[in-house]
Structures are given as C-alpha cells and as structure tokens.
Amino acid sequence: MDRLTFRKASEQDLDTVIRMLADDVLGQQRERYETPLPDCYREAFQAIHTDPNNELVVACVRGEVVGVIQLTFTPYLTYQGGWRATIEGVRTSSTTRGQGIGTKLIEWGIQRAKDRGCHLVQLTTDKKREDALRFYEQLGFTASHEGMKLKL
Amino acid sequence: MDRLTFRKASEQDLDTVIRMLADDVLGQQRERYETPLPDCYREAFQAIHTDPNNELVVACVRGEVVGVIQLTFTPYLTYQGGWRATIEGVRTSSTTRGQGIGTKLIEWGIQRAKDRGCHLVQLTTDKKREDALRFYEQLGFTASHEGMKLKL
C-alpha cells in the first residue's frame, strides 16, 4: 500500500468525511449525506475546528482521504489532574478496507494522545459492532468499563 | 434533607472536592489528598475552569459541598453534527450517603446537557463498581457500549 499520511481535516474534506460516516451499517440510519451537505455538518465542523481540545484528522493515500478519526482532549481532576484522550467517529473508506488503515488510524491517535501528555486513551464501541471489540483489544484496549448512553 | 443547590466549583472548593475524590475505593489508590494540595490539581482545575466546553459543578447543602460532577460538551460530526455531554468524576460526600444526592447530581447533569442542546448524555462506569451500573440504569442510561481504556 502507498504511504498513509495524516493531517487535520479542512472544510473541503467534509463531503468525503460525511460520505464515509454515512457508508456504515449504523451510520446509514442516522446521517444525511446529501448534495449540498446539510448545514448541521458545517456547523459541527466549525465547532470542532475552532476548539483547541478537539481534532478531526484524516488519513490520506496519494492525496485521497481514506479514513477519519476525531480526538477530544479533556482535563480531569481524577488521576491527579490527568488529561484523557477520547477517540470517536473512526471510519475508513469502504474501497480501501482490509489494508490496515483502521489500525494505523488508532495507532496514530494513541501517539497523538501521548504527544498531548494524556495518561489514558478511551473510546466506547457499540456492543452491536461485534468485530470492533476484538479490533480494539488487539490494539491494547481493555473493556474494563460499561459505556452507558442516554438519548435526550 | 435541606435543599440541594448547584453551582460551578471555584478554586476554594478544590480541597473539599479532592478529598471526596480520594475518599473512594478506587480513588484512594490513585489520588493524593495532601496539605498543601499538589499543584497538579490546581493546574487541572484551571484547565477545566477556562474551557467553555467543560464544567465542574458542586452540589451544596447549607453552603457545604456534598457532591461533585464534571460535564464535558463535545461537538461531533456523527448524528448529523450532534453535541454530546460526557459525565465524569461524580462523587458524593461519605457523610451524606444514602440521601439521594448522587441521583440529584446526575439528574442535574442531564438537564444541563439538555440546556446545552446535547442529543446524548454518556458516561463510562468501571465494571468493578457493581452498584453503579444499576444506579445509572435506574436513571435511564443503557449499557449499550463497551467502555474501552488504554493506559499510556
């Protein structure tokens, strides 16, 4: 595979990123990939882009976006005032599956969390995504917690 | 019980808050409640206090701090650019246990998340905290996800 490069997402990537989020068994039920893209996505992008504790990062092969990851850095009092990194919204392009891009995205996120001085990387994965649990365990994560959600 | 009031924590509350975090079966292994308080806690407090997407809130009875909760508000592209609230670091004073203060703290957090326009409230709870799972389920949360952690 050609070399994978990582960079912060720009607004020009948004169409490709939303297409990836919608091209997913759970995502297709909850996203709206339309032309033009609904304003809600541009507003969320701006909120992420202007927040120093949030980073939306794309992985590219030969200039083409093939993966996306969002990192949130949060200061907590617990663990002696430790910062945590939360990973969310990881997706890879369906045309490049099976090439280890997902693994490289998470490994990149773990390194970025170290660079930001975090003591922990965390994420939640839907219990319906049966493969994801093993995928994250192979990357060193432990399913030590229940991930609890309440829809408002 | 006297009326419970909620307000943003100030630096003057920090000693009481760290004492509560350390007075806990898991917290006592990982916190350092000392006089004077280690600088790491003041630095974390300032990072939380100055971040518009983080709120450290204390619950008080007759002016005395009896509970604490941290809320983090995060913009995501997923769910059509929806904001989520994450609850962390919930503790109540050991001298006022069994008075429903924990329930009121979480209910307050849920209302605050609604006020901030969030579509979801989420938290993770250590699988070793056996009572916590039932506590959160009674408050409407669903253990739909695995909460995965990787220590760095």
Side-chain angles (χ1 to χ4, degrees), chain A residues 17-34 37-38 40-41 44 88-89 91 129, chain B residues 76-82 84 119:
Chain A
V17 168
I18 303 305
R19 180 158 45 79
M20 283 194 293
L21 294 178
D23 181 18
D24 170 271
V25 63
L26 298 179
Q28 66 190 359
Q29 299 162 34
R30 53 200 193 200
E31 306 305 339
R32 281 172 60 207
Y33 176 62
E34 299 166 6
L37 214 52
C40 54
Y41 290 116
E88 200 19 87
R91 296 290 187 286
R129 297 191 192 271
Chain B
Y76 286 115
L77 291 179
T78 48
Y79 288 92
Q80 302 182 29
R84 298 187 193 186
H119 73 96

Side-chain angles (χ1 to χ4, degrees), chain B residues 79-92:
Chain B
Y79 288 92
Q80 302 182 29
W83 283 71
R84 298 187 193 186
T86 303
I87 289 176
E88 200 21 87
V90 179
R91 296 291 187 286
T92 59

Side-chain angles (χ1 to χ4, degrees), chain A residues 84 122-128 133 142-150, chain B residues 26 86-88 121-137 141-149:
Chain A
R84 298 187 194 186
Q122 61 184 14
L123 57 87
T124 64
T125 180
D126 197 308
K127 289 178 180 173
K128 291 201 289 286
L133 175 65
T142 305
S144 55
H145 286 60
E146 293 287 349
M148 311 206 68
K149 311 276 175 174
L150 170 64
Chain B
L26 297 180
T86 303
I87 289 176
E88 200 21 87
V121 184
Q122 61 185 14
L123 58 87
T124 63
T125 181
D126 197 307
K127 289 177 180 173
K128 291 200 289 285
R129 296 191 192 271
E130 292 177 5
D131 293 347
L133 175 66
R134 282 190 299 278
F135 170 75
Y136 288 118
E137 282 179 339
F141 287 83
T142 305
S144 56
H145 287 59
E146 294 286 352
M148 311 206 68
K149 311 275 176 175

Side-chain angles (χ1 to χ4, degrees), chain A residues 10-140:
Chain A
S10 72
E11 194 159 346
Q12 285 70 45
D13 300 314
L14 203 48
D15 192 272
T16 307
V17 168
I18 303 305
R19 180 158 45 79
M20 283 194 293
L21 294 178
D23 181 18
D24 170 271
V25 63
L26 298 179
Q28 66 190 359
Q29 299 162 34
R30 53 200 193 200
E31 306 305 339
R32 281 172 60 207
Y33 176 62
E34 299 166 6
T35 305
L37 214 52
D39 283 343
C40 54
Y41 290 116
R42 290 190 198 289
E43 289 162 12
F45 175 82
Q46 282 303 324
I48 296 166
H49 193 65
T50 56
D51 183 343
N53 288 333
N54 270 285
E55 292 181 1
L56 186 72
V57 170
V58 288
C60 305
V61 173
R62 278 173 281 116
E64 191 195 344
V65 172
V66 295
V68 63
I69 183 171
Q70 182 172 343
L71 291 164
T72 305
F73 306 101
T74 310
Y76 286 114
L77 291 179
T78 49
Y79 289 91
Q80 301 182 30
W83 283 72
R84 298 187 194 186
T86 303
I87 289 176
E88 200 19 87
V90 178
R91 296 290 187 286
T92 58
S93 164
S94 57
T95 57
T96 53
R97 292 265 156 83
Q99 298 183 33
I101 293 170
T103 297
K104 291 196 174 69
L105 266 173
I106 303 299
E107 287 173 345
W108 188 91
I110 293 169
Q111 185 56 51
R112 182 73 185 127
K114 287 180 183 170
D115 293 344
R116 291 270 307 217
C118 296
H119 72 97
L120 190 81
V121 184
Q122 61 184 14
L123 57 87
T124 64
T125 180
D126 197 308
K127 289 178 180 173
K128 291 201 289 286
R129 297 191 192 271
E130 293 177 5
D131 293 347
L133 175 65
R134 282 191 300 277
F135 170 74
Y136 288 117
E137 282 179 339
Q138 280 166 5
L139 283 159

